[in-house]
Amino acid sequence: MGSYAAALIFCSLICSVAAQAPVVTVEPRTATIRQGESVSFRCQVKSNVQPVQLEWRRANNQALLDNVKIGLDGSVLTVANARPGNHGQYRCVAISAAGRNFASVVLNVKFPSKAQLTPTGPLRIQTGESVSVECRVTGRPRPTVTWKRRGSTLQLVTQEINDAHIIKWPSVRPEDSGVYVCQADNNVGKSEAEVELVVVGPPGSPVASVNIEEMTAIEGQTVTIECRATGSPTPVITWSKLRAPLPWKHSVADGVLTLTEVGRQDSGQYICNATNIHGYSEAYTDMEVDTPPYATCLPDQVRLQPGNPLVLQCLAHGSHPIQFTWSRVGRGSLPVGAETTREGKLLIASVKQSDGGTYKCVATNHIGSSEAVAKVIIKA
């Protein structure tokens, strides 16, 4: 009786081992490819029960696309000329008399961004009416989206509702006429979609326009901006500066605004207003005034003892980027061990008697340069 029980126990152990479901592994576990590329996954099975049947399935139970091929023995799944629809999770399922098991892989398919507008335009809208255009984009990774007006680099304010990037005009005016561009971009590719907006006013309504919408001037230059207006009766043209008065050294003649010897403070948006009995229209010019650097040294004089650290800071006001260059007057090169930084610092960890002298910093941008000096006195 004891030997029979032992035999049962031995049989149960052997049977339990034999009844184990297959062990499934897949290489690679995950893959990221671009649209049009190919990839293969290999399924490996360990089982002491034969035969083992292999099946490849999508985790969502959808059918495999026609560009997905399975090898003769069922172990290799290949996605050829990948499409966005191939993106997702796949399972290799192993089935034997002892049971079934599976392993999963994840395929990421990146594809370029694509923008689509609704409505597509061109849009002819009456003055004062409201209008909106939505831009929907596809792409993986998820694209960034910007709206701009053709001919301008300024990014427009939009709303994002349910993945749609919407540009709205609550009450359009003639100066809103133009071509508007939705730009979508990810690290795979860029896409643009554009819509033309034509604002139609009553007969005789003024329509203002400027000869340049964005400009960069250099400090000291004289700038002219021309505003023209159509309408009947002939509109009256006036100029203003957004949130600031016009520079005192300005003049307006026949719609032309002249700004003499502009400075940094003259940067901003200038507004041309054309008005007649039917209403008004505005046109805008954004001006940025670039300035050469003006350099100073802090401190401009320092007294040290041998072994002390030296720290000089060169500061500069002006249009960026600004580059800094240090030298020693009368010597050319800096002392051995001296270090400079992109932020304009000159550093010597431990000065020597011979490190005394006058140090010069030159600050340079795309317009010009400026220099400042600092005197270093070292006494034991």
Side-chain angles (χ1 to χ4, degrees), residues 158 259 324:
T158 62
L259 305 172
F324 299 95

mmCIF file with all atom_site columns, all heavy atoms in Angstrom, residues 158 259 324:
data_model
loop_
_atom_site.group_PDB
_atom_site.id
_atom_site.type_symbol
_atom_site.label_atom_id
_atom_site.label_alt_id
_atom_site.label_comp_id
_atom_site.label_asym_id
_atom_site.label_entity_id
_atom_site.label_seq_id
_atom_site.pdbx_PDB_ins_code
_atom_site.Cartn_x
_atom_site.Cartn_y
_atom_site.Cartn_z
_atom_site.occupancy
_atom_site.B_iso_or_equiv
_atom_site.pdbx_formal_charge
_atom_site.auth_seq_id
_atom_site.auth_comp_id
_atom_site.auth_asym_id
_atom_site.auth_atom_id
_atom_site.pdbx_PDB_model_num
ATOM 1  N N   . THR A 1 158 ? -4.441 81.419  -29.690 1.00 0.00 ? 158 THR A N   1
ATOM 2  C CA  . THR A 1 158 ? -5.477 80.479  -30.102 1.00 0.00 ? 158 THR A CA  1
ATOM 3  C C   . THR A 1 158 ? -6.057 79.774  -28.881 1.00 0.00 ? 158 THR A C   1
ATOM 4  O O   . THR A 1 158 ? -5.519 79.865  -27.777 1.00 0.00 ? 158 THR A O   1
ATOM 5  C CB  . THR A 1 158 ? -4.927 79.417  -31.071 1.00 0.00 ? 158 THR A CB  1
ATOM 6  O OG1 . THR A 1 158 ? -3.903 78.661  -30.394 1.00 0.00 ? 158 THR A OG1 1
ATOM 7  C CG2 . THR A 1 158 ? -4.337 80.052  -32.313 1.00 0.00 ? 158 THR A CG2 1
ATOM 8  N N   . LEU A 1 259 ? 10.537 108.580 -37.916 1.00 0.00 ? 259 LEU A N   1
ATOM 9  C CA  . LEU A 1 259 ? 11.129 108.533 -36.575 1.00 0.00 ? 259 LEU A CA  1
ATOM 10 C C   . LEU A 1 259 ? 12.617 108.812 -36.717 1.00 0.00 ? 259 LEU A C   1
ATOM 11 O O   . LEU A 1 259 ? 13.333 108.070 -37.397 1.00 0.00 ? 259 LEU A O   1
ATOM 12 C CB  . LEU A 1 259 ? 10.902 107.165 -35.926 1.00 0.00 ? 259 LEU A CB  1
ATOM 13 C CG  . LEU A 1 259 ? 9.443  106.688 -35.854 1.00 0.00 ? 259 LEU A CG  1
ATOM 14 C CD1 . LEU A 1 259 ? 9.375  105.257 -35.365 1.00 0.00 ? 259 LEU A CD1 1
ATOM 15 C CD2 . LEU A 1 259 ? 8.647  107.599 -34.939 1.00 0.00 ? 259 LEU A CD2 1
ATOM 16 N N   . PHE A 1 324 ? 31.971 88.262  -24.931 1.00 0.00 ? 324 PHE A N   1
ATOM 17 C CA  . PHE A 1 324 ? 32.954 88.984  -24.118 1.00 0.00 ? 324 PHE A CA  1
ATOM 18 C C   . PHE A 1 324 ? 34.348 88.436  -24.391 1.00 0.00 ? 324 PHE A C   1
ATOM 19 O O   . PHE A 1 324 ? 34.547 87.220  -24.474 1.00 0.00 ? 324 PHE A O   1
ATOM 20 C CB  . PHE A 1 324 ? 32.631 88.840  -22.629 1.00 0.00 ? 324 PHE A CB  1
ATOM 21 C CG  . PHE A 1 324 ? 31.287 89.408  -22.235 1.00 0.00 ? 324 PHE A CG  1
ATOM 22 C CD1 . PHE A 1 324 ? 30.163 88.591  -22.171 1.00 0.00 ? 324 PHE A CD1 1
ATOM 23 C CD2 . PHE A 1 324 ? 31.143 90.755  -21.943 1.00 0.00 ? 324 PHE A CD2 1
ATOM 24 C CE1 . PHE A 1 324 ? 28.927 89.107  -21.806 1.00 0.00 ? 324 PHE A CE1 1
ATOM 25 C CE2 . PHE A 1 324 ? 29.907 91.287  -21.580 1.00 0.00 ? 324 PHE A CE2 1
ATOM 26 C CZ  . PHE A 1 324 ? 28.803 90.460  -21.513 1.00 0.00 ? 324 PHE A CZ  1
#
